Amino acid sequence: MMRLAILVAVAAIAVLGERAADAAGRPVTVVDDPQVLAKLDADGFGFAGIFGISGKDDLKTLYDAAPAYHAIVDTVAADVAALRADLKAGGRPLYEVTDGNVGRIIDMRWLKTDAARFRLVGVVNRLDRRDFAKLGGEAGCGEVRFIYRLAYSFRKNGKVLASRLPFNFSAIYRAAPDADGGCTGVAGRWTQIDEAADAGWLSGGPLDKASLSFKQLELNAQVVRFPSGQETEFGGQAAYLMGIFGIDGTTISQKPLENTPDTIRLAQDARLKARLTDYVRANVGAIDLGVYEIPDEFLAKKVISWSTFGSARQANHPFTPLFEPEAFAGVTYSKLTLARTAEALIERLDNGACQGCHQAGSTAGFHFIGLDDSTTSPLNRIEVGISPHLHAEIPRREAWLQATAEGREANGFRPLSFAPPAAWKDTAEIAYAPAETTMPCLVPEDAARFGNSWQCGAGTVCTPIATATGVKTKLAQCLLPKESRNIFSGHPCLTGTIASDTGQPFNDRYKVTGQFAAFAPAISRTAYTCRPPKIGVPGGFAYRGCDAKDLAFSAFKAGKPMPSEICGLVGGKKFDICVATNNFDQCLGGAVNRGNRPACSADRFCREDYMCQSLPSDTPGAGRVKGIGFCSPTYFLFQMRIDNHATPWTNTARASMSAGFGATEE
């Protein structure tokens, strides 16, 4: 039976991946089954069709035959070149191909090669975006989003090499209203009636092309990565380019990013900034609700978001450097749902910007990554293809859909992107579930500035592991108390501070200031040591080696709570050296060992800068832990990094090891 990511709201916890037979009567919010998506991709919902191209859909064909796609690629290439020039001027040169600990930049040939295509990895029901459509006077019923991810497959030296890259386009379509102008019928069509929620059911119902009209194409793409051997305390860095393209036949336009300020222009234009201040003061209620639309004159048309510690970075808080709290003195906060102070209002604005949302509650800068198809190496596969934010969002979206389908007024409130799941009781009330271990929280002094907040659960304490200069609201994690006996592999063990470089975020500096857990002096199978960020583990990483019981997954028992750690896969010095060969398959096959990692699943997520990786099916005893993965540093997965992939072309330029610090050591 086909896998369909849907909501099951039980005790305010969303469970993805329910079998379709169990989902009857529930609204479909996310489609992520690779087989269903492959069928949709082949039957008229492919990326090339956006540009009017049928038949071959490789990116060389698309670049040569579709002027609009050609123009988008050239625009992205110009943006990447401009970023490269900025980084070089700031002392950070970048290379497409390197075996050194130096900056890496995306090779734009990936967007023009016949070895690659944009594969459909998800369909997302966003009928709840009707609330935003109303702001612009649109009569539609929200949106449907088709998410495409860059994927390649080619034969080299007699072997097929295939992977994906962290480069996404989302095609946004407007959903037409019912004949009477309402949305009751449209919302109802997304409710699964029987067990066959397959491509035929989707294309003949909620995805009927006659009811969808193209709106825009949104880009979120990793374009720069600095390795942990260069960023020895950050544990690595990455930059993500975000933009929106309108398509009109063969021409394109760059559209303003929703609620995302052009910080440079606003900082230089006092009158423009004053008008934005007036807009915020006049629309406090809508901003607090989370349904607002800042006028285009204030908005950016492209931004760069930054990780690691993306939730803390000043560059991902674009309103904070623009406004001091005094700018919103005199605003009445007592009647608002979320913001109780000016600082909270500014954080609400920050979180509503593209870079703020995609670096808080996200996974590697994305909210939707998509599951792997059969071409992906078993050692390069993800177990969970969505972010903690999307996981928490699904109960809200289901409640919205149910209310709309029943002709009731839906609750329009949007939580912060790093909030946990909640029970949506009616149009005026929600109840957050406690945040799980390592999930985001607000330190008490900041939480007091917000109404209707949440608490850390499971005996954890809200603990910041990274604070940045210039950022007023501290996003922390729900962690075990200091020296807790319940420590587990993967739990953070270091705290630090970020010195923000306002003009050059790539030169932000992270400094470790203390260790609060995992004090064993050396790696053992009984005690936890704190692994350093230089091996690619931001925030440090409590670690205990696997013993015989761990290797056999003995702690995992049917009907019992899932243990905190699992004997997964680890890299090391051999892995770091191997990646310079541009042959990830060889590296994964020959330089990966077993080691304890945090256990994760569709309803237990990894902390910031980590993601849930799948255990290879041939791992001894893997059947015992089916559906459970392990948390890896994000860039341990080749599909989440732009660099050191095998390529279908001959590389001619390479920065050598002497350009950096040398390989890191496990």
Side-chain angles (χ1 to χ4, degrees):
M1 197 173 294
M2 296 182 177
R3 185 180 185 277
L4 185 66
I6 59 171
L7 167 73
V8 181
V10 180
I13 301 298
V15 179
L16 294 174
E18 280 285 312
R19 292 185 180 275
D22 299 326
R26 296 190 180 99
V28 173
T29 55
V30 176
V31 180
D32 71 347
D33 182 277
Q35 291 180 305
V36 173
L37 294 164
K39 179 67 172 171
L40 290 172
D41 200 330
D43 290 349
F45 293 94
F47 184 73
I50 299 169
F51 303 93
I53 302 298
S54 58
K56 293 182 66 177
D57 63 355
D58 66 88
L59 298 187
K60 183 181 187 305
T61 296
L62 200 54
Y63 187 76
D64 292 342
Y69 176 74
H70 190 120
I72 288 172
V73 171
D74 289 353
T75 300
V76 172
D79 291 340
V80 170
L83 179 61
R84 185 178 205 164
D86 287 344
L87 268 68
K88 184 177 181 180
R92 309 300 293 271
L94 303 172
Y95 303 89
E96 281 86 354
V97 183
T98 177
D99 55 9
N101 278 313
V102 292
R104 294 93 189 273
I105 192 165
I106 187 168
D107 192 325
M108 291 301 297
R109 288 177 289 183
W110 282 118
L111 301 184
K112 308 175 188 178
T113 177
D114 59 5
R117 62 189 294 268
F118 280 100
R119 177 164 73 83
L120 181 63
V121 297
V123 178
V124 181
N125 173 347
R126 292 306 312 271
L127 298 191
D128 65 294
R129 293 277 303 172
R130 183 193 187 197
D131 295 345
F132 287 82
K134 289 179 179 178
L135 298 177
E138 295 182 14
C141 292
E143 300 169 355
V144 178
R145 301 186 173 195
F146 294 80
I147 302 173
Y148 301 89
R149 190 158 178 225
L150 183 59
Y152 66 80
S153 179
F154 59 91
R155 184 175 292 274
K156 196 168 189 176
N157 298 325
K159 190 171 186 178
V160 174
L161 299 173
S163 184
R164 304 187 294 172
L165 286 88
F167 198 110
N168 283 15
F169 277 115
S170 297
I172 315 302
Y173 288 82
R174 299 181 181 91
D178 299 334
D180 63 1
C183 296
T184 300
V186 177
R189 283 200 295 274
W190 282 92
T191 299
Q192 191 176 329
I193 304 302
D194 56 33
E195 73 275 9
D198 55 15
W201 178 81
L202 289 163
S203 59
L207 300 185
D208 179 9
K209 288 189 175 181
S211 67
L212 301 177
S213 59
F214 180 79
K215 179 181 179 181
Q216 61 197 30
L217 191 66
E218 300 181 354
L219 169 68
N220 185 16
Q222 185 188 122
V223 292
V224 171
R225 194 178 80 84
F226 295 109
S228 57
Q230 183 180 21
E231 300 286 351
T232 55
E233 293 208 319
F234 255 128
Q237 279 203 79
Y240 296 81
L241 173 65
M242 309 180 79
I244 300 176
F245 296 95
I247 302 174
D248 184 6
T250 61
T251 61
I252 67 163
S253 59
Q254 288 187 273
K255 304 177 73 172
L257 293 163
E258 184 176 271
N259 295 332
T260 302
D262 186 334
T263 54
I264 295 176
R265 188 160 52 89
L266 284 161
Q268 295 172 345
D269 189 332
R271 291 184 179 180
L272 187 67
K273 180 179 172 180
R275 291 202 299 274
L276 177 57
T277 305
D278 292 342
Y279 167 84
V280 172
R281 294 180 68 90
N283 291 274
V284 165
I287 293 168
D288 186 74
L289 183 68
V291 182
Y292 60 101
E293 197 169 68
I294 295 175
D296 290 355
E297 66 171 321
F298 306 114
L299 304 180
K301 291 188 176 180
K302 67 174 181 179
V303 294
I304 303 292
S305 71
W306 293 91
S307 69
T308 54
F309 300 113
S311 63
R313 303 285 286 272
Q314 188 189 62
N316 300 326
H317 290 255
F319 286 92
T320 291
L322 285 173
F323 296 117
E324 291 297 329
E326 291 75 18
F328 305 114
V331 169
T332 301
Y333 296 98
S334 59
K335 296 181 180 179
L336 301 182
T337 299
L338 180 69
R340 292 287 185 263
T341 67
E343 290 86 352
L345 178 62
I346 293 170
E347 175 59 27
R348 172 57 130 181
L349 289 164
D350 280 340
N351 191 249
C354 290
Q355 63 270 56
C357 179
H358 277 270
Q359 289 293 346
S362 73
T363 297
F366 297 94
H367 291 309
F368 198 104
I369 300 162
L371 298 172
D372 297 292
D373 65 11
S374 60
T375 66
T376 303
S377 165
L379 294 160
N380 188 34
R381 301 177 69 87
I382 60 174
E383 184 67 32
V384 179
I386 64 169
S387 71
H389 165 62
L390 181 49
H391 172 258
E393 264 282 276
I394 290 176
R396 183 192 69 77
R397 296 179 191 177
E398 186 192 43
W400 193 100
L401 287 162
Q402 287 178 330
T404 302
E406 294 168 6
R408 297 183 288 109
E409 182 180 356
N411 187 341
F413 178 73
R414 267 70 175 170
L416 296 163
S417 71
F418 48 85
W424 294 75
K425 297 182 179 180
D426 53 38
T427 58
E429 186 179 357
I430 65 171
Y432 290 110
E436 296 187 355
T437 306
T438 73
M439 290 295 99
C441 58
L442 291 165
V443 296
E445 58 267 33
D446 287 333
R449 297 169 177 159
F450 293 86
N452 196 19
S453 190
W454 61 92
Q455 303 295 319
C456 289
T460 60
V461 179
C462 192
T463 306
I465 65 171
T467 57
T469 58
V471 177
K472 296 181 175 63
T473 300
K474 300 179 182 67
L475 191 58
Q477 295 180 21
C478 294
L479 302 181
L480 295 172
K482 187 176 182 180
E483 300 186 27
S484 170
R485 294 183 179 182
N486 296 320
I487 192 72
F488 57 89
S489 291
H491 191 283
C493 50
L494 301 173
T495 58
T497 58
I498 300 171
S500 304
D501 189 320
T502 304
Q504 299 179 330
F506 48 87
N507 280 327
D508 286 359
R509 295 292 89 198
Y510 181 85
K511 181 180 180 180
V512 174
T513 56
Q515 180 178 341
F516 61 90
F519 292 101
I523 294 174
S524 76
R525 291 181 173 85
T526 58
Y528 293 89
T529 188
C530 183
R531 307 302 293 135
K534 69 178 182 179
I535 67 168
V537 290
F541 194 96
Y543 180 72
R544 176 181 66 83
C546 297
D547 60 22
K549 291 183 178 180
D550 297 322
L551 288 166
F553 306 117
S554 298
F556 292 81
K557 302 181 186 301
K560 299 293 184 181
M562 187 170 78
S564 296
E565 62 185 11
I566 185 172
C567 189
L569 306 181
V570 299
K573 183 176 180 179
K574 287 174 63 179
F575 176 82
D576 293 333
I577 294 174
C578 185
V579 296
T581 67
N582 291 342
N583 188 339
F584 74 84
D585 192 68
Q586 173 185 320
C587 299
L588 293 174
V592 175
N593 304 308
R594 299 291 298 281
N596 275 314
R597 292 288 187 253
C600 54
S601 67
D603 58 359
R604 181 187 288 183
F605 284 77
C606 303
R607 64 178 166 115
E608 184 176 8
D609 299 317
Y610 295 77
M611 67 187 302
C612 195
Q613 183 174 355
S614 294
L615 274 168
S617 60
D618 62 355
T619 303
R624 189 183 185 111
V625 291
K626 188 174 181 180
I628 298 173
F630 59 98
C631 295
S632 283
T634 302
Y635 306 122
F636 179 77
L637 280 87
F638 272 88
Q639 63 166 286
M640 298 311 298
R641 52 196 285 177
I642 54 168
D643 57 306
N644 292 115
H645 289 259
T647 61
W649 50 80
T650 300
N651 295 303
T652 57
R654 177 185 293 273
S656 69
M657 289 289 288
S658 62
F661 298 121
T664 61
E665 296 182 1
E666 176 67 52

